[in-house]
Amino acid sequence: MSEQQVRVRLHVNGVPREATLPARRLLSDALRHDLGLTGTHVGCEHGVCGACTVLLDGRPVRACLLLAATVDGHEITTVEGLAADDGTLHPVQQAFRECHGLQCGFCTPGFLTTIAAYLDENPDPTEDDALEAVSGNLCRCTGYQNIKKAVLRAAELRRQQSEVRS
C-alpha cells in the first residue's frame, strides 16, 4: 500500500512553490528535501531545540512538528529568506556576525528566525528580554552571552534603519 500524496502550495520566502508530497511529510523535510532549502536544520525532531524554527505567516514555529499539508496556502520564511534580495543581511544576521553569535552554526537558523520575529513584536528589548526571547532555542556550544548581545545589537540596527527611512 503506497502512502497518500497531497498537493501543497506555499509561499516560501516570497516565492510561490508547489509540491506533491506524502501526506505525512514534515514541513522541515519538505523544505529541505523537496524544496532544496537546507538552511532549516533538524536537531531533536521533537520541537525542543528550535533549530528547525521557521516563520509561518510571520510567527515562529517548529517545522519538525508540522505536517507540510497543514500549512498549505501559507507564507513560510526560512533563514534563506531573511536577507534582502540584493544580499544585504537582515539586522539579526548582521548582529550575529558582529557579536560572534554563532559558533558551530547548527542552531543559528532557528535563532535567527526566532529573533527576527521577536524583534518585530518587541523592538526595544532589555538584556533579560533578550535572554527570554531565545530561551526556547538550544545552542550546543553554549554561546548564549554572544547571542544575547546579538539580540540587543539587532534591535539597535533596526532602530538605526528606521531612523534612516524617516
Side-chain angles (χ1 to χ4, degrees), residues 11 13 16 23 43 47-48 52 73 96-97 99 108 117 144 149 165:
H11 284 268
N13 302 328
V48 175
C52 67
F96 260 64
R97 180 197 292 176
C99 298
T108 303
Y144 293 102
K149 289 177 190 171
R165 285 189 215 128

Side-chain angles (χ1 to χ4, degrees), residues 91-92 94-95 98 152-162:
V92 177
Q94 184 177 339
E98 289 178 13
L152 299 172
R153 175 67 179 142
E156 181 182 339
L157 291 169
R158 287 172 47 106
R159 284 191 298 275
Q160 290 172 353
Q161 288 179 350
S162 293

